[in-house]
Structures are given as structure tokens and as C-alpha cells.
């Protein structure tokens, strides 16, 4: 079913970028002290992007594929919110924010 929404290389790029982003997000979360709920929300949404992309690769129909990819995009939007909140509350440095945000945007462009 993955071929219905693009080439295999497009799906590979989505999967690879989402995995790289999730690993980077987890590494970042491990460095934050305190504020469990904020860290948890960011970690959950950032790792959910790739999980939904992976799930879409075994979709039962075109509609199922599209639905999973829409959820992945929603998770990317939610992650962007948490990322901005982490930055505004000084949990992220300018450099960390720019790095994570640019990776997130690069991944979102593949949707």
C-alpha cells in the first residue's frame, strides 16, 4: 500500500527522517531535568510520527494509508507545539531549537 502515496524511496525517506528525529528527540529529553509532563508530551508526539509512518506501510487500504499519514502529520504539528514551548520556557537553547525544528520541518516536507 505504501506505493499508493509515492515511491518506495519517498517512504524510505519518511521512515529514515522520522527515526532520526525520534532518536534525536529522545537524546534531548534524557538531558532535561524536571518537568516530567512537558518532556513526556514532547517525547510521545515526536516518536509517534515515525510509528504512524511505519504503521502506514502495512495499511489495509488506500484510505487506511491516508489516515495513518494524516495522523503522523498531526503528530508532527503537535511536536512543533511542544518544541516551541520547550524553547520558550528555556529548556532548549537557541542551537538545540534550530536543530530540532529544522529536522522537523525537513521531515514534514515529505508528507
Amino acid at each position: 500500500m505504501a506505493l499508493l502515496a509515492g515511491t518506495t524511496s519517498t517512504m524510505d525517506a519518511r521512515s529514515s527522517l522520522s527515526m532520526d528525529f525520534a532518536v534525536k528527540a529522545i537524546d534531548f529529553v534524557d538531558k532535561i531535568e524536571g518537568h516530567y509532563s512537558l518532556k513526556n508530551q514532547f517525547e510521545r508526539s515526536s516518536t509517534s510520527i515515525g510509528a504512524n509512518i511505519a504503521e502506514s506501510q502495512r495499511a489495509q487500504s488506500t484510505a487506511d494509508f491516508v489516515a495513518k499519514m494524516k495522523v503522523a502529520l498531526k503528530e508532527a504539528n503537535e511536536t512543533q507545539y511542544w518544541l516551541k514551548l520547550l524553547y520558550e520556557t528555556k529548556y532548549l537553547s537557541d542551537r538545540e531549537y534550530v536543530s530540532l525544528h529544522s529536522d522537523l520541518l525537513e521531515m514534514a516536507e515529505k508528507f
Side-chain angles (χ1 to χ4, degrees):
M1 283 294 149
L3 296 176
L4 295 172
T7 65
T8 301
S9 63
T10 301
M11 283 308 294
D12 290 346
R14 289 173 183 156
S15 296
S16 179
L17 288 169
S18 64
M19 178 63 73
D20 292 347
F21 183 79
V23 169
K24 195 171 184 179
I26 290 169
D27 288 345
F28 166 72
V29 166
D30 284 345
K31 297 174 188 171
I32 299 176
E33 298 207 14
H35 223 300
Y36 172 78
S37 61
L38 187 56
K39 293 185 331 183
N40 184 49
Q41 287 296 122
F42 175 69
E43 185 174 39
R44 289 169 55 102
S45 65
S46 63
T47 57
S48 181
I49 300 165
N52 280 286
I53 291 170
E55 194 173 343
S56 77
Q57 294 179 17
R58 296 287 184 206
Q60 297 174 346
S61 65
T62 301
D64 188 32
F65 175 84
V66 170
K68 302 258 187 293
M69 291 304 293
K70 283 183 177 181
V71 171
L73 185 56
K74 287 179 180 182
E75 293 295 337
N77 288 335
E78 180 182 345
T79 299
Q80 187 171 18
Y81 170 83
W82 293 116
L83 188 60
K84 180 73 171 168
L85 185 58
L86 284 163
Y87 177 69
E88 293 293 330
T89 55
K90 309 294 187 232
Y91 283 98
L92 275 171
S93 68
D94 290 345
R95 190 175 69 94
E96 290 168 322
Y97 175 75
V98 168
S99 177
L100 285 164
H101 191 251
S102 65
D103 289 352
L104 183 59
L105 292 177
E106 179 185 2
M107 180 177 35
E109 288 175 359
K110 301 294 183 195
F111 284 91

